[in-house]
Amino acid sequence: MSTKRFLGYDTDEDGKLVVNKPQAKIVVRLYEEFLSGKTVDYIARIFKAEKLKSWDGKSNWQASTLDSMLRNEKYMGDAILQKSFTADFLTKKRVMNDGSIQMYHIEEDHEPIIDIETWQAAQAELERREKYCKAHFTNAYSQRGEVNPFYGKIICGNCNHIYSRVMYTARSGRRIIKWRCGSCNMADGHKVCSNRYVTDETFKKLFVMGWNEIAEHFGDYQEFWKSNIESEDVLLRYKTRLIMKKVGAGPIKEFDPELMMAVMDFATVFEDGRLQIMFYDGTQFEIETE
């Protein structure tokens, strides 16, 4: 089994996979960052900025590479044989196995880098994001989260489109960021949904209020979190444990975009003035505005 392009493992003299510990730390980091709300594009930019070395000793990280790593069962210690095969022995051309020949799934084939619970949570998160994008009429789950953390996170309570960010310049010259229903983007900017505009600052304050409500009363959530952790939903279990870990740091004084991406599923804007946050553990926080 070749490990030349397989970050995290080497092979011993018998051809068995053995963990490359320095590389394994990067693999673990990838799964943690992804399950904390970041996209593979964002993680690739982080890895490049930190000059982390890939299997080839370079720092030229690609989102597609990280995506395939998230889907690779070998990281949890399993192996699937004959995922590809030689279709033409004269040209040596290999093709992906679409069921033409039998594949074999070998469990506990080698030492895992990622525990099964985390690997399964990552698969569930990949599927959840795909369904989320379809449900809210968008091709991108997030765009440059480091500078635009609310992208894809704000949902119209009227038509279910994601909100999009627009910038205005006030008479004073101050730039104001607002969010409007993204259905306008599909109608050349014309307003086709009657739902309202909301400022970026409002969403920041909403998140701080919602998170601090949990942090300041975390004792009231213990039974709820216990129920989540005992559920059969592997992603809910992971996300609940993550929220419990984060809430241990206590209330926040200002908006934290990294924390928001890790714990907040989405915010919904209702035309009647309500704003609602849904956290990944199923907790909701709602306020009424004018």
Side-chain angles (χ1 to χ4, degrees):
M1 184 183 297
S2 174
T3 60
K4 184 178 179 181
R5 293 175 178 266
F6 188 26
L7 188 76
Y9 287 102
D10 297 319
T11 51
D12 61 17
E13 59 274 11
D14 297 319
K16 294 289 187 180
L17 289 176
V18 292
V19 174
N20 180 315
K21 294 189 182 301
Q23 291 183 1
K25 292 179 181 179
I26 299 175
V27 177
V28 172
R29 170 89 178 276
L30 165 64
Y31 278 75
E32 289 177 346
E33 296 281 17
F34 179 73
L35 286 167
S36 292
K38 296 183 179 69
T39 63
V40 287
D41 300 85
Y42 188 0
I43 299 169
R45 290 193 294 273
I46 292 173
F47 285 3
K48 287 179 183 178
E50 295 182 6
K51 293 182 170 51
L52 298 182
K53 304 299 183 183
S54 185
W55 61 270
D56 59 359
K58 299 179 181 179
S59 301
N60 187 28
W61 294 92
Q62 301 295 325
S64 58
T65 301
L66 298 181
D67 183 82
S68 66
M69 289 172 62
L70 288 170
R71 301 173 190 272
N72 196 325
E73 75 287 340
K74 292 186 180 68
Y75 287 122
M76 67 168 176
D78 290 5
I80 296 179
L81 306 183
Q82 297 190 158
K83 286 197 291 185
S84 65
F85 64 96
T86 302
D88 188 325
F89 286 96
L90 293 177
T91 63
K92 306 297 184 182
K93 180 181 179 181
R94 294 188 67 81
V95 297
M96 296 304 298
N97 187 356
D98 59 359
S100 301
I101 63 174
Q102 186 173 355
M103 289 187 283
Y104 300 90
H105 188 161
I106 303 176
E107 296 182 351
E108 300 181 5
D109 177 72
H110 51 273
E111 182 183 355
I113 292 175
I114 303 298
D115 64 86
I116 293 177
E117 178 96 352
T118 300
W119 190 86
Q120 290 178 340
Q123 308 319 297
E125 177 67 0
L126 286 163
E127 182 179 357
R128 184 195 71 82
R129 293 188 189 187
E130 182 178 354
K131 291 180 178 178
Y132 183 93
C133 289
K134 289 181 179 179
H136 301 299
F137 314 103
T138 179
N139 294 322
Y141 180 73
S142 177
Q143 288 186 356
R144 299 199 66 84
E146 61 268 45
V147 295
N148 191 9
F150 283 118
Y151 182 92
K153 289 280 194 178
I154 304 170
I155 304 302
C156 178
N158 281 359
C159 65
N160 216 32
H161 281 80
I162 64 168
Y163 262 49
S164 58
R165 188 173 68 165
V166 290
M167 300 189 72
Y168 296 89
T169 301
R171 292 181 180 179
S172 63
R174 185 170 65 93
R175 300 181 76 184
I176 301 173
I177 300 174
K178 288 186 177 182
W179 293 83
R180 70 179 182 187
C181 177
S183 60
C184 299
N185 299 336
M186 301 179 181
D188 296 325
H190 298 294
K191 191 172 179 63
V192 295
C193 178
S194 58
N195 212 342
R196 58 208 172 93
Y197 287 63
V198 182
T199 66
D200 195 68
E201 195 61 31
T202 297
F203 286 116
K204 290 179 179 179
K205 291 178 180 178
L206 175 66
F207 175 75
V208 172
M209 291 170 61
W211 180 250
N212 285 347
E213 171 66 22
I214 297 174
E216 292 168 358
H217 304 92
F218 68 92
D220 298 338
Y221 292 88
Q222 295 302 314
E223 287 300 317
F224 174 63
W225 288 335
K226 180 181 177 182
S227 176
N228 282 358
I229 291 173
E230 293 174 350
S231 78
E232 296 182 358
D233 187 331
V234 65
L235 185 57
L236 179 62
R237 295 198 299 267
Y238 187 98
K239 293 287 191 178
T240 298
R241 291 191 181 100
L242 180 61
I243 287 176
M244 293 174 69
K245 179 181 178 180
K246 298 287 187 183
V247 85
I252 56 177
K253 295 182 179 180
E254 58 185 20
F255 177 68
D256 183 340
E258 294 255 334
L259 176 63
M260 186 276 290
M261 286 189 285
V263 302
M264 191 185 92
D265 193 350
F266 57 86
T268 305
V269 180
F270 295 99
E271 195 170 358
D272 61 8
R274 290 178 296 133
L275 296 175
Q276 184 184 87
I277 282 181
M278 174 69 76
F279 290 96
Y280 282 123
D281 66 344
T283 300
Q284 294 183 4
F285 178 78
E286 182 175 294
I287 63 170
E288 291 188 7
T289 59
E290 296 182 358

